[in-house]
Amino acid sequence: AQKITQTQPGMFVQEKEAVTLDCTYDTSDPSYGLFWYKQPSSGEMIFLIYQGSYDQQNATEGRYSLNFQKARKSANLVISASQLGDSAMYFCAMREGRNQGGKLIFGQGTELSVKP
Amino acid sequence: GAVVSQHPSWVICKSGTSVKIECRSLDFQATTMFWYRQFPKQSLMLMATSNEGSKATYEQGVEKDKFLINHASLTLSTLTVTSAHPEDSSFYICSARGYRGPEQFFGPGTRLTVL
């Protein structure tokens, strides 16, 4: 079963507008972490934001915020005031529990294109 | 943030040769390093997890004898693709995790092309 699901293969957004990238996850482990990474065409993976399963508040990092809805098992990334440089692939990832060796499981990714 | 380097950034080799890719954590000690493989327009697929001084743990379906991983120190892990074939052509990315914080820091990746 897919543990991390990103249902939007591609998204378009107008420059300066906000965009939400969807991510749902599946785990029975009460302790887990959720990550978002950005991958531009150069290939490097850039860490954006992290949300722990026990965190009470939604994570925010500058223009990035994570809309964490635990009961729905969703961890959507919100990018405010989109910039042309935001055009890239975005991956949601999950790390389960303390006994899983810390490995990340990635979703399929969403390709975001920011229009001028 | 922490810096992870990979070398080489790209390599072209003939079928049947072996290729070694290095992954280094430059400013922190990496308790665990991970190796991923990525095909064009696809997600990252975890190949193996390595801890310093111990044998790597490979994901199901990954050939241990083909993808040799060595984690000789807290700052260096290597992936050797043995007897490479064209189907091994891919983007290989390593990541490292330190003692503190939840983040995994990724290297810039190595693009392998096997002719």
Side-chain angles (χ1 to χ4, degrees):
Chain A
Q2 194 75 21
K3 290 207 168 188
I4 292 282
T5 303
Q6 294 179 254
T7 57
Q8 307 153 313
M11 289 280 286
F12 289 92
V13 64
Q14 204 68 33
E15 192 179 8
K16 299 181 184 177
E17 292 186 350
V19 63
T20 298
L21 306 184
D22 295 341
C23 174
T24 57
Y25 59 93
D26 182 28
T27 181
S28 57
D29 196 321
S31 177
Y32 55 90
L34 298 158
F35 301 75
W36 276 93
Y37 285 87
K38 171 184 177 181
Q39 187 180 41
S41 57
S42 60
E44 61 184 314
M45 294 289 285
I46 302 169
F47 167 75
L48 296 178
I49 198 166
Y50 167 80
Q51 180 85 43
S53 60
Y54 294 118
D55 293 344
Q56 296 294 316
Q57 294 187 331
N58 287 346
T60 60
E61 288 287 347
R63 294 188 298 113
Y64 305 107
S65 60
L66 201 152
N67 184 0
F68 181 44
Q69 298 190 33
K70 198 169 182 177
R72 298 176 64 179
K73 294 188 175 179
S74 74
N76 299 340
L77 176 70
V78 180
I79 305 174
S80 62
S82 297
Q83 302 172 358
L84 295 178
D86 294 335
S87 294
M89 284 290 291
Y90 287 81
F91 291 98
C92 179
M94 177 175 68
R95 179 170 63 220
E96 292 177 294
R98 300 183 188 280
N99 299 320
Q100 297 298 321
K103 62 183 180 182
L104 293 179
I105 302 168
F106 284 86
Q108 306 93 316
T110 296
E111 185 169 13
L112 177 66
S113 298
V114 181
K115 294 182 174 181
Chain B
V3 179
V4 176
S5 70
Q6 262 183 261
H7 178 79
S9 56
W10 60 270
V11 57
I12 302 173
C13 69
K14 292 182 178 180
S15 185
T17 60
S18 294
V19 175
K20 180 185 281 188
I21 302 169
E22 290 187 352
C23 176
R24 293 182 184 271
S25 56
L26 298 185
D27 52 0
F28 69 102
Q29 291 185 325
T31 54
T32 308
M33 287 185 168
F34 305 87
W35 287 95
Y36 295 86
R37 183 175 182 177
Q38 186 181 31
F39 292 107
K41 298 291 185 182
Q42 293 189 24
S43 186
L44 280 72
M45 183 191 78
L46 179 67
M47 299 175 67
T49 302
S50 74
N51 293 291
E52 183 260 341
S54 61
K55 289 185 178 180
T57 302
Y58 290 82
E59 294 298 303
Q60 193 172 9
V62 177
E63 299 176 61
K64 300 178 184 181
D65 295 332
K66 179 157 192 67
F67 300 101
L68 301 179
I69 292 172
N70 182 273
H71 195 155
S73 74
L74 282 171
T75 59
L76 173 63
S77 177
T78 59
L79 167 67
T80 301
V81 183
T82 62
S83 187
H85 288 98
E87 57 265 30
D88 298 324
S89 298
S90 188
F91 191 56
Y92 292 88
I93 313 175
C94 73
S95 70
R97 188 180 177 195
Y99 290 102
R100 293 179 288 181
E103 298 96 332
Q104 252 184 52
F105 301 99
F106 283 80
T110 297
R111 196 164 301 280
L112 170 64
T113 303
V114 185
L115 302 177

